[in-house]
Amino acid sequence: MNVAFFITPKSECKYVYDYWTMRQAMEKMEHHRYTAVPILNKKGNYVGTLTEGDLLWKLKNSGDLDFRHAESIMLKDVPLYTEVKTISVDDEIENMIDTSLSQNFVPVVDDFGIFIGIIKRRDIIAYLSRLMKNMSKQDTGAKV
């Protein structure tokens, strides 16, 4: 099995573009109730993950910036404080699991850095839970 089994494809993901404004990103995140979303450029490359914390720090550190003025700040100008690591669609399952330990989702890119989807930590945990249950059933069956 490879990581492709776990991918939520781009067509089913929510993301923002680096040429969007802070306000556009905040509205999308609020609408979908997300605390973090991938950021893509015009070519579809993954460029980072925007978090609520990034937006709050930008507001705090920008003096008189408020929600009304957030329309004038481009996402390109918002520092990202958390490095969210990507994996390749050809990566090993072990690397996917290791990467997911410190982030809620793992962005997946192709060989050219084009964003193709995400792997949710919840999906990995659900898969591992099913594996453990199946192993437990096999162990119980062998003892009977």
Side-chain angles (χ1 to χ4, degrees):
M1 174 181 300
N2 68 25
V3 300
F5 173 80
F6 294 92
I7 295 176
T8 299
K10 178 181 178 181
S11 61
E12 297 176 23
C13 294
K14 306 301 179 225
Y15 49 87
V16 296
Y17 288 100
D18 63 357
Y19 57 87
W20 281 16
T21 66
M22 277 182 64
R23 183 171 180 156
Q24 287 173 303
M26 287 189 289
E27 288 175 350
K28 184 162 194 164
M29 290 171 73
E30 177 186 30
H31 177 75
H32 295 288
R33 302 184 59 91
Y34 288 153
T35 59
V37 291
I39 305 171
L40 309 182
N41 66 16
K42 286 182 181 180
K43 294 179 181 179
N45 295 88
Y46 171 83
V47 296
T49 293
L50 180 69
T51 68
E52 288 177 327
D54 299 328
L55 296 168
L56 290 170
W57 285 115
K58 181 65 175 174
L59 284 170
K60 178 199 172 285
N61 295 325
S62 295
D64 65 349
L65 183 63
D66 60 19
F67 186 68
R68 285 174 284 143
H69 295 102
E71 295 173 345
S72 63
I73 304 293
M74 306 303 289
L75 287 184
K76 292 177 187 178
D77 300 323
V78 176
L80 304 179
Y81 289 91
T82 304
E83 180 187 355
V84 175
K85 296 178 183 167
T86 63
I87 62 170
S88 165
V89 69
D90 299 322
D91 236 318
E92 300 293 325
I93 295 287
E94 293 80 9
N95 190 39
M96 174 191 74
I97 293 170
D98 288 344
T99 304
S100 73
L101 292 174
S102 60
Q103 43 196 74
N104 290 331
F105 63 87
V106 180
V108 182
V109 297
D110 68 10
D111 292 341
F112 302 102
I114 302 294
F115 177 76
I116 59 174
I118 63 171
I119 297 173
K120 300 174 203 159
R121 184 167 50 192
R122 177 182 67 221
D123 293 341
I124 296 169
I125 293 169
Y127 172 75
L128 294 173
S129 176
R130 285 191 303 273
L131 276 181
M132 289 177 60
K133 287 177 184 172
N134 287 340
M135 290 171 54
S136 179
K137 286 179 186 177
Q138 290 174 358
D139 288 345
T140 304
K143 292 178 184 177
V144 174

